[in-house]
Amino acid sequence: MKKVVHAACPHDCPDACGVLITVEDGRATRIQGDPEHPVTRGFLCAKVAKYLDRVYSPERVLYPMRRIEPKGPATGAANAGEGPFDCRSGQVRATQNWQRISWDQALDEIATRFRGIIRDFGSEAILPYSYGGTLGTLNGASMDRRFFHRLGASQLDRTICSAAGEAGLKSVYGAKLGTEPEQFRHSRYIIAWAANIHGNNVHLWPFITEARRNGAKLVVIDPYRTRTAACADWYLPINPGTDAVLALGMMHVIIGENLHDSDYVSKYTVGFEALREKVKEYPPERVAQWTGIAADDIRKLAREYATARPSVIRLNYGVQRSEGGGMATRAIAMLPCVIGSWKQVGGGLQMSTSGAFELNSDALKRPDLMKTALGRKARVINMVELGRVLNTVNDPPVKALFVYNSNPAAVCPNHNEVIRGLQRSDLFTVVHEQFFTDTTDYADMVLPATTFFEHKDLQKAYGHYYMQVSQQAIAPLGECHSNVEVFRALAQKMGFEDECFRETVDEMIDAALDSGDLWLKGISRERLEREGHVRLNFVSQKDAGDGACATQAATQPFLPFAQGNFRTPSGKAELYSATLEAEGLDPVVEFTPPVESRHGRQKTGFPLELLARKADNFLNSTFTNVPSVQAMEESGLLEMHGSDAQARGIADGDKVRVFNPRGEVVLKARVDGAVQSGVVSARLNWAKLSPGFQSINALTSEKLTDMGNSATFYSVLVEVELAKPKASG
Ligand SMILES: Nc1nc2c(c(=O)[nH]1)N[C@H]1C(S)=C(S)[C@@H](COP(=O)(O)OP(=O)(O)OC[C@H]3O[C@@H](n4cnc5c(=O)[nH]c(N)nc54)[C@H](O)[C@@H]3O)O[C@H]1N2
Ligand SMILES: Nc1nc2c(c(=O)[nH]1)N[C@H]1C(S)=C(S)[C@@H](COP(=O)(O)OP(=O)(O)OC[C@H]3O[C@@H](n4cnc5c(=O)[nH]c(N)nc54)[C@H](O)[C@@H]3O)O[C@H]1N2
Ligand code: SF4
Ligand SMILES: [Mo]
């Protein structure tokens, strides 16, 4: 029997593609993009186009497994330390480490260990650790949260990706809303600001192509010459971590030359006078010294951006992975307010659209259950600081770690400290996973997880405004269970009687959609199941009673801030923020060059700025072990500028040692003009697929951003030298 099932890609990617899965006799035989989806329009990125290889990989975790050898990657691999090696051998090693057990045994053992830890150390000695494995609403954050709230476990502050940018954006707009991708086709001037569109957001590209066909100009601001930069009309390489000052310099020119929109500014913003004073300190000549962008180019950029209307900014999260990332996002977010481009179709800015999906989060996560367990809120642990927390926190120490939807042994900063913590023999670690990752190498128990082919979910997006239901296409492989089912079963083992642990998936989807939010009005599970995707219903409070207006709102371009409607305390775009002031931050914008940048390097003795970037063909550390995807990505490279290579006697293809006080990695030098002098770049991968079992996160730090307590993956100083040839024999 053959059927085609509608699903939605749940990977941590703004596009949230509509997907069609062909199933024949219970086996998925084809994956393709849903041509009906108005944004993702029938194509998939190269990695997900190969998804059958991932679902049916011989390396899937299919059964609960208990560790029988000491923690750590098995050492028997012939070429350990040499990598990358064929990950098939990884599977052989993985099974050697493990003993298959039943689900019942596994859950009993977890419940017993948890009870013992709670008795001896309190429930906050248990720490959940999850992030973006799936962004499905249910499998991302629902039954798991209920479980850990009811348990009274420590709470995890999920800051590893976007918290600084979120804080920066919200400080100006009060909400994570932005320009619809479909509107980019109407733009005349598009700035891709720290936005690797070809790599990370490929479904925006056709809209940009359409705009350019109609004469639009594409400008890219990125310290790395991405594929997007290579295709741009104008590429501006910027010194890492200096974006705030570029935005201030642009506003210096725009306001100084009276190119701002005084009508919009006076109606819908607060603090313009304070901003006008602030930007006086940033003339282009001064900004050029920080950013490495010539003063004349800064003037030209500002003038073009302010006058070629409509102009739009695709700001992505690259800027906010720096020490000053919150303020940089804040400064950039002011630009469309100052020039009033929010008024126009094809104007404004997009960093994230996720704030439009106001689901009933309390019903899904039940934070009230924390009170049942503890009588108060549980302590909060920042996921970025996992290394420090595992090694030093004592009040109480973390005695159990439950990892799902994440691979911290690859993605977390300060890798060596994370590994040191994960190696603790007194730490009980459970990992719910689809594969034997870097993190399962340190697990006491591994539980098999379904992929999105094998479970149903409700799918939001952070790069467009369509809600989808992702249907289950095939039965779970082996004994895989979804996150929802694992935490449901564990709740039962722990004896939690609350009704919410018995809710079905459909009941949870219904509860999620039942938030009373106007933009969700008329969007039911049944309708999503019927139509596949539904655009949010952008009706205003005023129009809500009027059916005709509501229908119109469903098809009209969405202009979130055309008439103000900012969700800040003042209701206006806050160019001056009293909230920031109360937190002791500069209420306008503060620019402090990162300590770990060329401006601080004299103090550290490490001269090169490292961009520890994502790979275009992987998704963080996901897909890195799929051979057909590996074939698309040349791994293990350190990209560097010719002058930096030459100064160190390094030629293209040489093995180099990249190091700083936190760690070292061995990579292959690539001298091809992707970075400016003073900057080097390497890409994320599994540690065990890398030479010496070292993630590039061995070099990154746990230092937090200025706002949002996020990670600083792009504020890293290193030195590079030729790797010593290995002694022969
Ligand atoms: N193919 C692929 N797609 C992905 C991912 C992936 O790993 N691979 N990851 C997904 C995830 S989790 C996320 S959060 C999104 C993120 O997507 P993006 O926000 O695009 O995140 P990054 O790739 O971290 O950074 C974007 C760009 O910012 C640049 N950059 C670094 N530092 C600076 C700086 O100081 N200033 C400026 N102007 N630019 C800088 C980087 O070189 C990079 O090209 O993408 C998602 N999509
Ligand atoms: N150096 C450096 N480090 C980075 C970044 C960077 O740019 N540079 N980017 C950072 C960013 S932006 C992010 S978002 C984080 C991402 O960090 P993570 O969210 O940890 O992302 P992944 O590495 O993709 O790991 C997700 C894991 O979840 C598993 N998984 C997928 N679906 C499910 C499921 O349904 N159930 C369960 N139980 N497991 C599932 C996958 O197999 C995968 O191993 O990494 C951060 N780390
Ligand atoms: S990873 Fe992104 S681009 Fe690729 S299929 Fe998923 S949502 Fe689409
Ligand atoms: Mo991310």
Side-chain angles (χ1 to χ4, degrees):
M1 223 201 33
K2 183 168 164 172
K3 60 176 179 177
V4 177
V5 178
H6 180 273
C9 177
H11 282 288
D12 190 348
C13 167
D15 297 6
C17 285
V19 170
L20 298 177
I21 303 167
T22 306
V23 182
E24 294 175 73
D25 299 324
R27 192 178 167 91
T29 53
R30 184 171 182 213
I31 180 169
Q32 65 193 112
D34 177 1
E36 303 285 316
H37 193 291
V39 176
T40 63
R41 302 198 289 181
F43 72 98
L44 301 171
C45 64
K47 55 195 178 298
V48 172
K50 303 204 162 53
Y51 216 73
L52 295 180
D53 296 345
R54 187 164 189 274
V55 172
Y56 294 113
S57 162
E59 299 173 6
R60 282 282 299 273
V61 181
L62 295 177
Y63 307 98
M65 299 283 202
R66 180 198 283 135
R67 170 171 297 282
I68 50 172
E69 284 179 14
K71 292 186 187 186
T75 46
N79 48 358
E82 286 288 327
F85 53 83
D86 184 333
C87 50
R88 271 165 222 289
S89 62
Q91 169 64 6
V92 173
R93 293 168 33 229
T95 43
Q96 280 170 354
N97 277 349
W98 303 102
Q99 171 196 26
R100 181 174 161 187
I101 53 175
S102 71
W103 267 104
D104 216 40
Q105 281 172 303
L107 296 173
D108 272 337
E109 195 167 319
I110 296 168
T112 307
R113 292 293 294 262
F114 277 10
R115 281 199 195 95
I117 288 167
I118 293 169
R119 185 191 58 227
D120 297 341
F121 298 92
S123 56
E124 286 162 303
I126 301 170
L127 178 68
Y129 198 95
S130 76
Y131 201 68
T134 168
L135 301 193
T137 304
L138 269 44
N139 288 291
S142 66
M143 202 60 97
D144 55 316
R145 301 296 205 276
R146 294 175 184 182
F147 176 78
F148 289 113
H149 289 149
R150 179 65 186 78
L151 193 66
S154 284
Q155 295 293 292
L156 188 71
D157 199 7
R158 292 177 170 82
T159 55
I160 201 164
C161 171
S162 59
E166 172 168 345
L169 200 76
K170 283 188 170 169
S171 74
V172 186
Y173 306 158
K176 278 169 112 176
L177 296 176
T179 308
E180 293 176 289
E182 303 94 305
Q183 285 182 38
F184 278 64
R185 58 156 72 95
H186 301 297
S187 308
R188 302 283 300 168
Y189 200 80
I190 301 169
I191 302 182
W193 201 318
N196 178 13
I197 294 164
H198 275 283
N200 299 2
N201 178 204
V202 65
H203 292 85
L204 184 61
W205 187 251
F207 296 108
I208 294 178
T209 304
E210 203 178 322
R212 292 173 87 192
R213 234 183 274 127
N214 296 325
K217 181 166 178 174
L218 173 67
V219 184
V220 171
I221 302 172
D222 196 311
Y224 183 91
R225 192 168 180 278
T226 58
R227 271 190 286 157
T228 316
C231 298
D233 299 294
W234 194 17
Y235 168 46
L236 292 166
I238 185 171
N239 292 336
T242 64
D243 301 85
V245 85
L246 177 60
L248 288 166
M250 286 172 73
M251 290 190 279
H252 174 101
V253 176
I254 291 169
I255 298 172
E257 298 184 2
N258 234 349
L259 299 174
H260 59 285
D261 181 337
S262 13
D263 181 55
Y264 189 91
V265 164
S266 65
K267 280 191 185 138
Y268 304 128
T269 73
V270 287
F272 183 71
E273 285 313 313
L275 177 66
R276 186 202 289 275
E277 282 310 304
K278 171 67 85 176
V279 301
K280 283 186 183 154
E281 298 164 30
Y282 295 94
E285 277 67 21
R286 186 156 178 246
V287 171
Q289 289 169 12
W290 296 114
T291 58
I293 299 175
D296 280 343
D297 284 342
I298 295 165
R299 271 187 283 268
K300 182 174 156 198
L301 175 68
R303 288 173 189 149
E304 288 184 354
Y305 169 68
T307 56
R309 287 159 179 272
S311 53
V312 70
I313 298 173
R314 177 54 165 122
L315 172 62
N316 223 321
Y317 285 103
V319 284
Q320 55 95 62
R321 302 190 210 291
S322 286
E323 291 172 26
M327 283 291 177
T329 307
R330 175 169 166 78
I332 296 165
M334 291 178 179
L335 283 163
C337 305
V338 167
I339 68 157
S341 69
W342 285 116
K343 293 188 302 199
Q344 287 173 291
V345 173
L349 174 150
Q350 188 198 107
M351 183 164 87
S352 173
T353 59
S354 65
F357 297 83
E358 291 274 2
L359 296 170
N360 192 341
S361 161
D362 282 354
L364 280 174
K365 303 181 189 169
R366 297 292 307 272
D368 56 297
L369 292 174
M370 253 186 289
K371 283 247 166 64
T372 316
L374 287 167
R376 58 171 169 83
K377 283 193 169 171
R379 77 166 165 188
V380 179
I381 282 176
N382 187 334
M383 69 187 300
V384 170
E385 299 177 308
L386 182 64
R388 183 182 69 75
V389 167
L390 290 181
N391 293 308
T392 64
V393 166
N394 255 325
D395 52 344
V398 174
K399 299 295 281 184
L401 187 66
F402 197 121
V403 181
Y404 58 103
N405 279 346
S406 187
N407 184 13
V411 304
C412 205
N414 207 0
H415 175 78
N416 289 325
E417 279 302 284
V418 172
I419 298 304
R420 189 159 77 86
L422 290 174
Q423 271 168 334
R424 272 173 40 200
S425 57
D426 66 319
L427 177 72
F428 177 60
T429 302
V430 179
V431 181
H432 184 217
E433 248 302 348
Q434 298 161 343
F435 289 93
F436 291 98
T437 62
D438 287 338
T439 308
T440 64
D441 282 345
Y442 301 90
D444 294 276
M445 199 180 288
V446 180
L447 305 174
T450 44
T451 66
F452 78 98
F453 280 32
E454 300 150 75
H455 58 238
K456 182 174 182 176
D457 216 323
L458 176 68
Q459 192 65 43
K460 307 182 279 184
Y462 65 96
H464 60 68
Y465 291 111
Y466 288 83
M467 183 82 89
Q468 300 175 79
V469 155
S470 185
Q471 294 283 7
Q472 179 177 343
I474 57 172
L477 300 193
E479 294 179 1
C480 290
H481 285 332
S482 70
N483 297 354
V484 169
E485 299 314 326
V486 167
F487 290 105
R488 188 201 303 290
L490 210 46
Q492 203 185 2
K493 283 280 181 207
M494 294 299 295
F496 298 159
E497 308 249 289
D498 315 66
E499 199 57 45
C500 66
F501 293 112
R502 283 194 282 277
E503 253 179 24
T504 65
V505 165
D506 282 350
E507 285 167 348
M508 289 168 80
I509 294 177
D510 293 341
L513 291 168
D514 183 19
S515 70
D517 190 72
L518 280 179
W519 292 352
L520 291 176
K521 208 175 159 198
I523 303 181
S524 64
R525 175 171 53 85
E526 289 79 5
R527 183 167 166 213
L528 288 166
E529 286 171 352
R530 211 168 45 239
E531 298 178 25
H533 53 264
V534 177
R535 185 169 179 262
L536 294 182
N537 186 25
F538 291 117
V539 337
S540 67
Q541 191 74 47
K542 172 160 69 44
D543 299 333
D546 181 339
C549 280
T551 322
Q552 203 187 27
T555 51
Q556 288 295 306
F558 173 51
L559 299 173
F561 307 127
Q563 282 136 15
N565 292 322
F566 292 97
R567 299 199 191 161
T568 51
S570 64
K572 299 193 169 183
E574 297 198 340
L575 311 177
Y576 183 102
S577 161
T579 313
L580 291 183
E581 192 172 34
E583 289 167 13
L585 297 169
D586 188 316
V588 185
V589 174
E590 185 169 316
F591 172 66
T592 321
V595 175
E596 292 215 27
S597 75
R598 68 188 61 209
H599 303 292
R601 67 185 162 198
Q602 291 84 352
K603 287 176 219 136
T604 68
F606 289 85
L608 298 169
E609 290 171 286
L610 169 72
L611 299 171
R613 293 175 77 253
K614 305 165 188 307
D616 280 1
N617 296 297
F618 303 149
L619 205 136
N620 299 314
S621 82
T622 305
F623 295 96
T624 54
N625 62 322
V626 179
S628 59
V629 180
Q630 287 173 334
M632 301 189 293
E633 179 76 32
E634 190 178 358
S635 293
L637 298 180
L638 181 79
E639 293 171 275
M640 61 193 305
H641 189 262
S643 62
D644 293 323
Q646 211 176 17
R648 292 165 177 78
I650 294 167
D652 189 80
D654 281 345
K655 253 192 188 182
V656 292
R657 189 172 86 94
V658 191
F659 60 100
N660 67 16
R662 293 178 288 269
E664 64 171 65
V665 299
V666 174
L667 298 166
K668 188 166 87 174
R670 172 58 46 85
V671 185
D672 67 354
V675 289
Q676 303 281 104
S677 104
V679 179
V680 295
S681 172
R683 294 179 173 200
L684 193 59
N685 199 342
W686 276 6
K688 67 180 162 195
L689 295 178
S690 310
F693 295 112
Q694 284 290 325
S695 161
I696 54 164
N697 279 320
L699 301 165
T700 59
S701 83
E702 288 175 49
K703 180 158 188 172
L704 303 177
T705 50
D706 56 345
M707 293 163 68
N709 295 323
S710 225
T712 52
F713 293 113
Y714 296 156
S715 294
V716 179
L717 285 174
V718 297
E719 179 55 292
V720 179
E721 64 181 24
L722 265 177
K724 294 197 181 64
K726 252 193 154 168
S728 53

